[in-house]
Amino acid sequence: MKPRQQPSVAVIGVGTMGSQVLHTLAAAGVPASGFEQFDIGHERGAAGGETRIFRVAYKEGGSYVPLLHEARRAWDRLGEQAGVRLLDPCGALTIGSAQDPDVRTVLDVSEEWGLDVERLDRREAARRFPQHRLFDDDLVLLDRQGGLLHPRRAVTETALLARKAGAAIHTGHTVTDVVETGTGVAVHYRRGDETEVRVEKYDQAVVCTGPWITRSVPSLAREVDVRRAVLSWFEAGPRWAPENFPVGIRRSGGENALSFFPDVGCGVKINLHVPKSAVDDPDRLDPVVEPEYVSRVSAAVSRCLDGLPARPALVRTFMEGYTADNHGIIGRDPERPNVLIMGGFSGHGFKLAPVFARSAVDLLLTGRTDVPIDRLSLARLA
């Protein structure tokens, strides 16, 4: 009996999810081709910003904890294969009032799952992490399994591993349509500045185009909002390196709500958690940051951190896709049965990308997965 032939798969978008899907497919011996409109590791999509937080004590809920354990192991394995660290195990802090819902969830999840989370008293927190100004009702929680991800490095190294395993990756290729043929899909694309549309046929396709997902899958325009995030970097130094200043989130009331990231060469990154504006066209992301925003983030940093400059050295804008419930989407396109959709990960998909990729490949090859992704199903949005 001849061995069963693996289906060919096109992966549209080779960023956070696409690089992981390509690597997982190629490692399984599946013929796979990736189409990326920019270069690998570009910063125009949702993987931008130099650093990402990894947490196991998860404010988004305990149902993610098994996936996060698996993801941490996966990031370590990928780093070993690549020969470079992708996840820096510096720990992750949660600081804020016990009355804050996110802090409460972190506490509850830690207790429910027996996580390695240390609760520091104020004296110990001040001794170990003097960079933080603590308010009277702040708790300080250190997730020892947390750490710092390097997104550009992770995407480029994972794509390289995919290539080494046999995947083809086409950069500068803009996919204009993925058409269901009944027996597979036809991928329509343009190369570079060419106007000619070329077509290649595959058995299946995965569409994971990040902020461009609603253009790739127009039916998702009602379900996914693309939003503009503003990130700021403050000049720092060794005192703010990962070994001295773990990544984390702050929930100390009002605009004292932010994510903070250690200095890995470009300063301390701050993401102020304020409402994000809508992005109507991801090809025309507004790069202009209003002075009023810079004043707000500077004031929050002054209140919450000790020893950074009064103003950021750099501010930049990025994009992410959000669903109404802040959980991503993984599932078959009901209008194109041979197309699998991945998108709308609402700002917290990067850390879970290796696990989400495994679930997607399971669905492609067998029609089912043991990864608990029911809350990410398309059916919930019907």
Side-chain angles (χ1 to χ4, degrees):
M1 179 182 293
K2 291 183 179 180
R4 182 175 178 269
Q5 186 175 358
Q6 295 277 32
S8 59
V9 180
V11 178
I12 317 305
V14 188
T16 300
M17 298 298 164
S19 60
Q20 295 288 338
V21 170
L22 269 179
H23 177 249
T24 305
L25 286 167
V30 178
S33 296
F35 293 82
E36 171 55 54
Q37 62 178 326
F38 304 118
D39 293 325
I40 303 301
H42 69 88
E43 287 210 335
R44 303 188 197 188
E50 300 295 340
T51 48
R52 284 290 178 119
I53 188 172
F54 185 92
R55 296 169 284 122
V56 178
Y58 213 45
K59 69 180 179 63
E60 287 78 10
S63 63
Y64 281 103
V65 169
L67 306 185
L68 289 158
H69 282 308
E70 181 179 345
R72 196 182 194 287
R73 294 190 293 269
W75 283 118
D76 287 341
R77 285 196 303 271
L78 283 167
E80 290 173 4
Q81 292 172 39
V84 61
R85 179 177 282 177
L86 304 180
L87 172 62
D88 189 330
C90 60
L93 287 167
T94 298
I95 301 174
S97 167
Q99 307 308 312
D100 181 87
D102 287 342
V103 176
R104 187 73 256 164
T105 299
V106 169
L107 282 167
D108 292 344
V109 167
S110 302
E111 294 170 5
E112 177 187 358
W113 289 90
L115 300 179
D116 187 6
V117 173
E118 181 182 4
R119 183 167 176 170
L120 284 70
D121 62 34
R122 294 181 65 83
R123 180 178 296 178
E124 181 66 6
R127 184 185 71 80
R128 290 166 60 180
F129 307 117
Q131 301 92 336
H132 293 280
R133 298 182 189 273
L134 300 178
F135 298 173
D136 289 344
D137 58 348
D138 277 341
L139 297 180
V140 180
L141 307 170
L142 175 62
D143 178 356
R144 296 181 185 275
Q145 294 178 293
L148 186 73
L149 284 164
H150 300 269
R152 182 187 298 180
R153 185 189 306 169
V155 171
T156 55
E157 293 294 340
T158 304
L160 181 60
L161 289 172
R163 273 195 171 117
K164 289 179 178 178
I169 299 179
H170 309 292
T171 57
H173 284 52
T174 301
V175 172
T176 58
D177 204 356
V178 179
V179 179
E180 180 76 27
T181 66
T183 58
V185 295
V187 176
H188 297 234
Y189 66 93
R190 293 194 309 269
R191 296 193 308 189
D193 295 328
E194 293 179 357
T195 57
E196 177 189 359
V197 175
R198 302 168 185 264
V199 179
E200 290 186 12
K201 292 185 177 180
Y202 296 85
D203 295 311
Q204 300 190 71
V206 181
V207 176
C208 43
T209 51
W212 288 265
I213 192 67
T214 57
R215 182 177 296 174
S216 304
V217 188
S219 62
L220 290 182
R222 300 182 303 273
E223 312 296 347
V224 178
D225 294 327
V226 180
R227 301 177 191 169
R228 174 180 178 264
V230 181
L231 303 178
S232 307
W233 284 265
F234 291 75
E235 290 183 353
R239 180 171 178 253
W240 304 84
E243 61 270 23
N244 300 319
F245 181 69
V247 66
I249 63 171
R250 186 77 181 244
R251 291 291 184 271
S252 298
E255 285 202 351
N256 304 312
L258 49 86
S259 302
F260 49 86
F261 300 77
D263 186 354
V264 294
C266 50
V268 169
K269 186 178 89 172
I270 300 294
N271 178 16
L272 187 63
H273 294 176
V274 294
K276 298 176 173 65
S277 59
V279 177
D280 296 325
D281 182 352
D283 288 331
R284 291 178 172 82
L285 173 66
D286 183 2
V288 177
V289 178
E290 299 78 5
E292 186 265 345
Y293 176 87
V294 176
S295 296
R296 291 169 72 185
V297 71
S298 299
V301 166
S302 176
R303 289 190 297 268
C304 295
L305 295 167
D306 181 24
L308 290 178
R311 308 281 283 186
L314 175 67
V315 290
R316 290 186 60 192
T317 59
F318 298 88
M319 299 177 287
E320 295 172 323
Y322 285 78
T323 60
D325 62 6
N326 287 334
H327 300 292
I329 298 168
I330 301 176
R332 294 278 182 182
D333 186 337
E335 298 176 1
R336 297 176 292 181
N338 287 305
V339 174
L340 186 78
I341 300 166
M342 304 179 75
F345 291 100
S346 305
H348 65 107
F350 196 99
K351 61 182 71 64
L352 289 157
V355 181
F356 288 160
R358 180 171 79 81
S359 73
V361 172
D362 288 345
L363 293 172
L364 287 170
L365 302 184
T366 69
R368 57 185 301 175
T369 181
D370 63 358
V371 180
I373 56 169
D374 289 348
R375 65 168 53 194
L376 280 69
S377 71
L378 267 171
R380 81 184 197 276
L381 305 175

